Amino acid sequence: MASYAGRGVHGEVVQRLGARVVTGDFAEGDILDVRALGEELDVSLTVMREALKVLAGKGLIDARQKRGTFVRPRSAWNLLDADVIRWRMAGGDGRRLMRDLTDIRAVVEPAAAHRAALRRTDAHLTELETALAAMERARGDLAAEAEADAAFHRALLAATGNELLARLELILEPGLRERDRLVHAHGDADDPVPSHRRVLEAIRDRDAPGAELAMLDLLAKAAEDVDRAAPARPDAEGVRAPAVPAVPAVSAVPQAIQP
């Protein structure tokens, strides 16, 4: 059985079954023979039931009396779940995932940078500076690079002073971590520190338009990195992130919701 570090046999079963659902080996509406799958994976029914509870929590399966355990439609899946994202990447759905992530970031992060420049506090600046310093130290350490990058973008959203925007980290962070693993594993990525530093400097200077433009430049470089990295990963073959689309300037947002 494939390794699922730190989670034992139960986690391995979650890994195996979840990946089979996400990649389409089990199709929408398929009834899962729990006993037969337990025998195939050489685990007890207790382990199977516990694993299926985890997958149900991710929206992948459900169970009904007289119907049994079945695969739910994709529209019911928790596509923001870190495991689901990882299974999609490993199963060849990276193109769609990276496209969707790029779209979300292009809509959210330039506007967030604009607002952060207007609303940031000294504490927010400290968080951004700490994340950037960690990014500089992390070069060559894939896990540390991904963590530092996530910390920077989390701090950026927090610096908007908007609690709802800050919670968008739940949407962005799992996909961002997978994007970082893809890019940094390739070894030909653009050095992320200068582009992140320009965003930080504009926020420090309270230069809202400059922060927005710096973030757009960062996102363009991020899309180029994914485009270069894709051929090096067989499981991500064909992954191409689109160019970062133009987004309306924040100054064009109705005055009622301006900072």
Side-chain angles (χ1 to χ4, degrees):
M1 208 178 280
S3 174
Y4 199 50
R7 301 191 187 181
V9 173
H10 163 72
E12 292 179 8
V13 174
V14 171
Q15 162 76 13
R16 290 284 293 274
L17 296 182
R20 290 175 72 177
V21 172
V22 169
T23 59
D25 188 30
F26 296 135
E28 176 184 336
D30 279 357
I31 305 299
L32 303 183
D33 187 331
V34 177
R35 187 175 298 276
L37 284 170
E39 292 175 355
E40 176 188 333
L41 299 174
D42 193 25
V43 296
S44 69
L45 282 176
T46 299
V47 171
M48 281 295 301
R49 292 188 184 108
E50 290 303 311
L52 292 173
K53 286 180 183 178
V54 174
L55 297 181
K58 299 177 186 296
L60 300 182
I61 64 169
D62 201 354
R64 293 284 186 273
Q65 285 187 349
K66 298 184 179 180
R67 182 176 179 183
T69 301
F70 60 94
V71 177
R72 300 184 71 189
R74 184 187 178 96
S75 59
W77 298 357
N78 180 2
L79 295 177
L80 302 178
D81 180 86
D83 286 332
V84 174
I85 288 172
R86 190 177 67 257
W87 294 332
R88 289 179 63 192
M89 287 292 291
D93 198 21
R95 173 192 288 271
R96 184 174 183 178
L97 178 60
M98 290 297 105
R99 180 201 67 195
D100 289 351
L101 177 63
T102 297
D103 283 349
I104 292 174
R105 296 184 71 190
V107 169
V108 171
E109 291 195 294
H114 186 285
R115 282 163 171 74
L118 298 174
R119 299 173 176 174
R120 59 85 175 161
T121 64
D122 289 344
H124 292 138
L125 275 183
T126 297
E127 290 179 2
L128 287 164
E129 289 165 351
T130 299
L132 185 63
M135 198 178 299
E136 291 180 302
R137 293 193 304 271
R139 288 187 178 96
D141 183 334
L142 302 187
E145 287 178 341
E147 178 58 40
D149 193 24
F152 185 93
H153 291 274
R154 188 164 57 243
L156 171 74
L157 293 174
T160 64
N162 183 309
E163 290 182 328
L164 298 181
L165 274 174
R167 297 307 288 164
L168 289 180
E169 68 173 285
L170 299 175
I171 297 175
L172 295 177
E173 191 165 323
L176 184 60
R177 287 179 181 275
E178 286 303 314
R179 176 259 170 207
D180 284 348
R181 290 188 184 98
L182 171 68
V183 167
H184 294 309
H186 182 250
D188 190 31
D190 183 70
D191 181 359
V193 172
S195 57
H196 284 74
R197 182 179 290 115
R198 284 191 287 274
V199 173
L200 171 57
E201 288 172 350
I203 291 173
R204 180 188 294 118
D205 294 343
R206 298 193 184 278
D207 177 3
E212 182 176 355
L213 289 174
M215 180 55 71
L216 283 169
D217 180 63
L218 184 158
L219 293 176
K221 286 181 169 58
E224 291 170 1
D225 285 343
V226 171
D227 189 61
R228 284 195 300 270
R233 284 271 302 273
D235 61 331
E237 185 175 357
V239 175
R240 288 291 187 276
V244 177
V247 294
V250 176
S251 58
V253 177
Q255 194 65 30
I257 61 171
Q258 285 288 316

Short mmCIF file of all heavy atoms in Angstrom, two decimals, residues 71-72 87-88 133 167 171 176 200 239:
data_model
loop_
_atom_site.label_atom_id
_atom_site.label_comp_id
_atom_site.label_asym_id
_atom_site.label_seq_id
_atom_site.Cartn_x
_atom_site.Cartn_y
_atom_site.Cartn_z
N VAL A 71 -20.34 7.23 -4.63
CA VAL A 71 -19.52 8.39 -4.97
C VAL A 71 -20.43 9.57 -5.30
O VAL A 71 -21.35 9.46 -6.12
CB VAL A 71 -18.61 8.07 -6.16
CG1 VAL A 71 -17.80 9.31 -6.56
CG2 VAL A 71 -17.67 6.92 -5.83
N ARG A 72 -20.14 10.70 -4.67
CA ARG A 72 -20.94 11.90 -4.90
C ARG A 72 -20.47 12.62 -6.16
O ARG A 72 -19.33 12.45 -6.61
CB ARG A 72 -20.84 12.83 -3.70
CG ARG A 72 -21.33 12.22 -2.40
CD ARG A 72 -21.30 13.23 -1.27
NE ARG A 72 -22.33 14.24 -1.44
CZ ARG A 72 -22.42 15.34 -0.68
NH1 ARG A 72 -21.51 15.57 0.26
NH2 ARG A 72 -23.39 16.21 -0.87
N TRP A 87 -4.49 15.16 -4.59
CA TRP A 87 -4.90 14.03 -5.43
C TRP A 87 -5.18 14.49 -6.86
O TRP A 87 -4.90 13.77 -7.81
CB TRP A 87 -6.13 13.35 -4.83
CG TRP A 87 -5.87 12.70 -3.50
CD1 TRP A 87 -4.67 12.19 -3.07
CD2 TRP A 87 -6.79 12.52 -2.43
NE1 TRP A 87 -4.80 11.69 -1.80
CE2 TRP A 87 -6.08 11.87 -1.37
CE3 TRP A 87 -8.14 12.82 -2.24
CZ2 TRP A 87 -6.69 11.54 -0.17
CZ3 TRP A 87 -8.75 12.48 -1.05
CH2 TRP A 87 -8.04 11.85 -0.02
N ARG A 88 -5.74 15.68 -7.00
CA ARG A 88 -5.98 16.20 -8.35
C ARG A 88 -4.66 16.43 -9.08
O ARG A 88 -4.53 16.11 -10.27
CB ARG A 88 -6.77 17.51 -8.28
CG ARG A 88 -8.22 17.35 -7.87
CD ARG A 88 -8.91 18.70 -7.82
NE ARG A 88 -8.94 19.33 -9.14
CZ ARG A 88 -9.28 20.59 -9.35
NH1 ARG A 88 -9.59 21.38 -8.33
NH2 ARG A 88 -9.30 21.08 -10.57
N ALA A 133 11.86 37.35 5.05
CA ALA A 133 13.17 36.89 5.55
C ALA A 133 13.24 35.37 5.55
O ALA A 133 14.27 34.77 5.19
CB ALA A 133 13.41 37.43 6.96
N ARG A 167 -9.80 35.64 5.63
CA ARG A 167 -10.20 34.23 5.63
C ARG A 167 -10.10 33.59 4.25
O ARG A 167 -10.21 32.37 4.12
CB ARG A 167 -11.63 34.08 6.17
CG ARG A 167 -11.77 34.52 7.60
CD ARG A 167 -10.76 33.84 8.51
NE ARG A 167 -11.07 32.43 8.73
CZ ARG A 167 -10.22 31.55 9.22
NH1 ARG A 167 -8.98 31.92 9.53
NH2 ARG A 167 -10.59 30.30 9.40
N ILE A 171 -8.99 29.51 1.00
CA ILE A 171 -9.17 29.17 -0.41
C ILE A 171 -7.83 29.12 -1.12
O ILE A 171 -7.54 28.20 -1.88
CB ILE A 171 -10.09 30.21 -1.09
CG1 ILE A 171 -11.49 30.17 -0.47
CG2 ILE A 171 -10.16 29.98 -2.59
CD1 ILE A 171 -12.43 31.23 -1.01
N LEU A 176 -1.90 27.17 -3.36
CA LEU A 176 -0.61 27.84 -3.45
C LEU A 176 0.52 26.91 -3.04
O LEU A 176 1.59 26.90 -3.65
CB LEU A 176 -0.62 29.09 -2.56
CG LEU A 176 0.62 29.99 -2.58
CD1 LEU A 176 0.86 30.53 -3.98
CD2 LEU A 176 0.46 31.13 -1.58
N LEU A 200 6.08 44.27 -0.74
CA LEU A 200 6.26 44.70 0.65
C LEU A 200 6.67 46.17 0.72
O LEU A 200 6.14 46.94 1.55
CB LEU A 200 7.32 43.82 1.33
CG LEU A 200 7.80 44.26 2.71
CD1 LEU A 200 6.64 44.38 3.69
CD2 LEU A 200 8.85 43.28 3.24
N VAL A 239 0.21 20.77 -17.80
CA VAL A 239 -0.20 21.87 -16.92
C VAL A 239 0.28 23.18 -17.51
O VAL A 239 1.45 23.34 -17.82
CB VAL A 239 0.39 21.71 -15.50
CG1 VAL A 239 0.05 22.93 -14.66
CG2 VAL A 239 -0.16 20.45 -14.84
#
